[in-house]
Amino acid sequence: MPADLRPTSTPDAPPSRVIVFDTTLRDGEQSPGSTMTGPEKLQVARALDQLGVDVIEAGFPVSSPHELESVQEVARVVESATVAALARALPADVERAAEALADARRPRIHTFLATSDLHLERKLGIDRDQALHRIAQSVEAARRHVDDVEFSAEDATRTDPSFLVQAVRTAVEAGATTINLPDTVGYAHPHDVARMFDAVRDGVPDVDRVVLSFHGHDDLGLATANSLAALEHGARQVECTLNGIGERAGNAALEEVVMALRVLPRFRERFVTHVRTERLCPASQLLARITGVRPQPNKAIVGANAFAHEAGIHQHGMLADRRTYEIMTPAAVGARDTTLVLGKHSGRHALVRRYEELGFTLTPEETNRAYELFVMLADRKKVIHDEDLLAIYYGGTMERVPRTFRLEHLDVRCGRSPSWARVRVARGDDETAEAEGTGDGPIDATFAALAELAPWEVRLDDFAIRAAGGGSDAVGEAHLQLRIEGRPFTGRSASTDIVDAAARAYLHALDKASHADRLEARAFERLQLWGV
Ligand code: KIV
Ligand code: ZN
C-alpha cells in the first residue's frame, strides 16, 4: 500500500462514527435541471431525515427571500438531523442564515471563504491577511447565534498548505466546531487529499477539538475515492449528495460513499454511519422523480442496471451463487431484486430459469427448441421480454403483432382534480366501445378508461415517458408494462401528444395479449407443442 494511504487508526480500535452531511438541497440543487420548489425541498428533506443522514444542508438563505423561506420550512420539519444553512464569510449572510435556522431543533451555520491565492486575488480581490480577518469575524458572528459552526476553506485542495493551516487555525480559535476542506473543482487525487489532511492535523494544535470534514466534486470522477481517502486521514464528516447531483460534474454521491464504507472490508471494521441503507434507492428515486433527472443506468448503487446481469457467464454464476457477481444484495440498498436481462449474451440456464418463473417447466427437447428460437430473436432485438418467451413457447413471435385494438377517439380534461378522459376504441372490424375514466392526471384517467374496455383484468406495472429531442414540440415516447391476467406485456408508442402516446402504448400491450391468446389457441388446436 502506498505510504500516503496508510490507515490512521489501528485495526482493533472500535469503529469511528462518520457524520454524513447531505448537501442535495444546497450544492445539489445548484446543478442545472435540479432546481426544486419549496414543497419539493420539504419532501426531499423528510426523506433524507428518514434515511438517517446526520446533517441536511437546506440552502443558502441570503440568495433570495424564497430561499430563506424554504430553509426556514426545512428547519421546521426536520426531526432528527442537524439543519445547516450556508453563509459567505460576510455579516449579512451570517445573520440571514441564523434567521433561517431560528426554528431548527439542531441548527448549524456553515460559513465559507476561499483560501487559494487564485480565488483570493482573482475572485475576491483580497490578500491573505484580509481573508484571515474575515474568517475570524464570520465564525465569531456565527457562534453568537449557534454552538454548531462549520467553516469551509473553499478551494482547499489548491491552497498553499501553510496558508491552509493558518486559515484552519484561525477558524478553530474563533470557535468553529467543524472544519471542512473542499476539493471545490474536483482537481485532487486521493494522495493529495491524504497529504492535505495530514498537514492540517500536524499543523493545527487544537485540531482534536473539531470535526474534520471533506467535500468533493467529481470533475475527474474521483469524488468518492477522495472522500474515502479523507476518512482514512482523519476526516470524520463527508459531504455528499443523493445521486451525486451538484455543480458541474456533481458532488460525491452519498450512496457510493456510504456503501463503500459498509461493503469494503478495509472500511467496514473501522467506520460506521447511521444511514439506513435500505432507503437509499427509494430516496434516489424520489429525487429523480422530483427533478426529472434520472441517474444514468450504470450509476453505482442506484442506477437501473446496478443489479442487472446480461452476460451468459455472469447469469450462470449468479444462478449458482449470487456472490459470484454481486458484492451487495439489492435489498441492502432498497433496490428491486436482481434482474437477469435476457438478450443475445444470455445462456440456457437463465432462459430455463425465466421460464420457470413464468410457470413453465421445459423438458430438455423444449429447452433446445426454445433456446434456438430465443437466439434467433435475440439477434434482432436488444432485450427479450417475458411476452417474447410466451410467444416462443406457443410457436410464434411478438414481432409484427397484428393490430386488434385501434384508438378512434380520445378526449381529456385536466387542470382540475380529478382529471377526466373518454376513449373510443375499435376492436377488430366490427366492434366499437366507449368508456370514461377519472384519475390523478390525464394519463391516469385515460388508463382508467382503457382498463374499462379491456376484455381482461389489467394492472399497470411500469410506465415511463421520455421526450425525444428538446423543445416543447418534442416527441414523447411512452413505454409501459401491463400485467394482463397475470402475464406481463410491454407496450410502446410515440406521439407529440404524450397522453395519446400513453394510450397507444397501452393498446399496443393489449394487442400483444390478444396475439398471445391466438398463438396459445392455435397451439392447442394443433395439439402439438414444441415442434412435436
Ligand atoms: O465546493 C465547495 O467548495 C462548496 C463550499 C461552499 C463548501 O460547495
Ligand atoms: Zn461544493
Side-chain angles (χ1 to χ4, degrees):
M1 187 192 314
D4 262 345
L5 291 183
R6 233 184 340 255
T8 47
S9 57
T10 56
D12 304 333
S16 302
R17 170 91 152 78
V18 173
I19 297 167
V20 176
F21 176 114
D22 180 277
T23 183
T24 304
L25 297 176
R26 199 276 300 169
D27 219 344
E29 210 247 354
Q30 279 172 223
S31 68
S34 295
T35 317
M36 290 174 242
T37 63
E40 289 170 345
K41 278 188 159 193
L42 281 188
Q43 252 185 299
V44 174
R46 284 200 185 92
L48 288 168
D49 204 20
Q50 283 159 10
L51 181 63
V53 306
D54 301 283
V55 185
I56 297 173
E57 186 163 51
F60 183 26
V62 84
S63 64
S64 74
H66 180 253
E67 178 80 351
L68 168 70
E69 228 174 82
S70 122
V71 176
Q72 283 170 326
E73 278 167 21
V74 170
R76 279 182 208 119
V77 302
V78 167
E79 286 177 4
S80 306
T82 292
V83 178
L86 187 69
R88 288 168 300 180
L90 292 169
D93 282 38
V94 172
E95 292 307 310
R96 198 51 63 86
E99 185 187 343
L101 296 173
D103 291 338
R105 289 173 179 81
R106 278 171 278 277
R108 171 182 296 187
I109 295 178
H110 176 195
T111 183
F112 74 100
L113 186 77
T115 49
S116 67
D117 289 331
L118 177 65
H119 278 238
L120 290 182
E121 286 163 21
R122 309 292 301 170
K123 185 181 82 175
L124 300 170
I126 59 173
D127 62 23
R128 288 183 176 188
D129 283 342
Q130 288 169 304
L132 294 179
H133 181 67
R134 275 179 59 180
I135 293 170
Q137 260 195 335
S138 60
V139 171
E140 280 164 11
R143 277 303 302 257
R144 284 195 282 277
H145 292 285
V146 292
D147 291 336
D148 187 349
V149 173
E150 172 168 335
F151 170 71
S152 284
E154 191 190 11
D155 208 19
T157 50
R158 294 194 300 172
T159 298
D160 167 10
S162 66
F163 183 61
L164 183 63
V165 165
Q166 261 187 293
V168 171
R169 262 176 122 143
T170 305
V172 174
E173 280 163 17
T177 46
T178 298
I179 297 291
N180 183 39
L181 306 178
D183 182 26
T184 302
V185 289
Y187 188 60
H189 179 278
H191 285 200
D192 304 327
V193 172
R195 262 194 294 271
M196 176 175 74
F197 276 87
D198 288 349
V200 167
R201 290 171 69 222
D202 288 346
V204 178
D206 285 327
V207 76
D208 292 337
R209 280 202 341 234
V210 297
V211 173
L212 291 180
S213 167
F214 179 73
H215 172 114
H217 280 269
D218 210 27
D219 299 66
L220 292 171
L222 291 171
T224 297
N226 284 337
S227 305
L228 298 172
L231 290 172
E232 294 203 281
H233 284 261
R236 287 298 171 266
Q237 173 176 287
V238 275
E239 302 199 353
C240 37
T241 59
L242 284 173
N243 298 346
I245 65 167
E247 283 284 356
R248 305 180 310 279
N251 289 60
L254 184 151
E255 61 276 9
E256 292 175 16
V257 177
V258 165
M259 288 315 287
L261 294 179
R262 168 71 77 91
V263 170
L264 294 176
R266 175 186 181 83
F267 299 114
R268 205 167 49 212
E269 318 268 285
R270 292 167 39 220
F271 299 109
V272 285
T273 72
H274 279 187
V275 170
R276 298 178 188 102
T277 61
E278 68 285 358
R279 297 192 181 212
L280 284 170
C281 284
S284 154
Q285 284 152 12
L286 173 74
L287 180 68
R289 259 202 319 278
I290 285 177
T291 59
V293 181
R294 281 196 195 201
Q296 83 264 20
N298 59 329
K299 167 78 185 64
I301 322 288
V302 296
N305 290 349
F307 296 94
H309 308 260
E310 185 178 332
I313 295 172
H314 289 209
Q315 292 184 340
H316 186 192
M318 282 293 295
L319 293 171
D321 186 333
R322 301 167 71 117
R323 289 171 306 173
T324 51
Y325 289 101
E326 273 183 0
I327 59 166
M328 63 193 118
T329 62
V333 297
R336 277 200 201 169
D337 204 7
T338 300
T339 43
L340 301 186
V341 179
L342 292 180
K344 71 173 179 188
H345 303 112
S346 307
R348 245 167 235 274
H349 289 95
L351 182 69
V352 170
R353 169 66 68 99
R354 191 69 202 129
Y355 268 118
E356 270 165 16
E357 284 165 3
L358 289 173
F360 301 97
T361 307
L362 304 192
T363 63
E365 302 86 78
E366 286 171 344
T367 304
N368 288 342
R369 173 89 185 118
Y371 189 64
E372 206 178 291
L373 293 171
F374 167 79
V375 169
M376 274 160 50
L377 190 60
D379 255 346
R380 302 198 294 268
K381 275 187 91 184
K382 278 192 213 142
V383 175
I384 306 294
H385 296 289
D386 291 343
E387 68 213 20
D388 296 309
L389 301 187
L390 209 62
I392 288 176
Y393 187 85
Y394 292 121
T397 76
M398 280 293 171
E399 294 181 300
R400 287 184 290 281
V401 173
R403 290 268 298 278
T404 307
F405 299 96
R406 258 179 305 111
L407 185 64
E408 288 197 336
H409 180 78
L410 168 64
D411 192 9
V412 288
R413 230 175 287 144
C414 55
R416 236 180 305 130
S417 190
S419 296
W420 168 93
R422 180 189 295 131
V423 292
R424 189 166 66 242
V425 172
R427 184 178 180 183
D429 287 334
D430 40 35
E431 212 184 297
T432 301
E434 226 175 70
E436 290 183 9
T438 53
D440 192 3
I443 294 180
D444 197 33
T446 303
F447 287 172
L450 290 170
E452 282 290 306
L453 294 182
W456 307 283
E457 195 182 291
V458 181
R459 199 184 76 201
L460 180 70
D461 272 355
D462 204 11
F463 173 64
I465 195 132
R466 193 176 75 85
S472 54
D473 59 349
V475 171
E477 291 176 354
H479 293 254
L480 50 70
Q481 180 157 312
L482 299 183
R483 194 156 289 272
I484 300 173
E485 299 290 337
R487 289 174 167 182
F489 293 92
T490 60
R492 53 193 279 189
S493 187
S495 166
T496 46
D497 177 335
I498 56 168
V499 186
D500 184 65
R504 289 177 196 278
Y506 196 101
L507 293 181
H508 184 212
L510 294 189
D511 281 342
K512 286 179 175 177
S514 166
H515 182 55
D517 271 2
R518 276 194 297 270
L519 290 174
E520 187 177 359
R522 232 175 32 215
F524 282 120
E525 259 169 39
R526 291 200 305 268
L527 277 181
Q528 55 175 27
L529 291 171
W530 297 112
V532 178

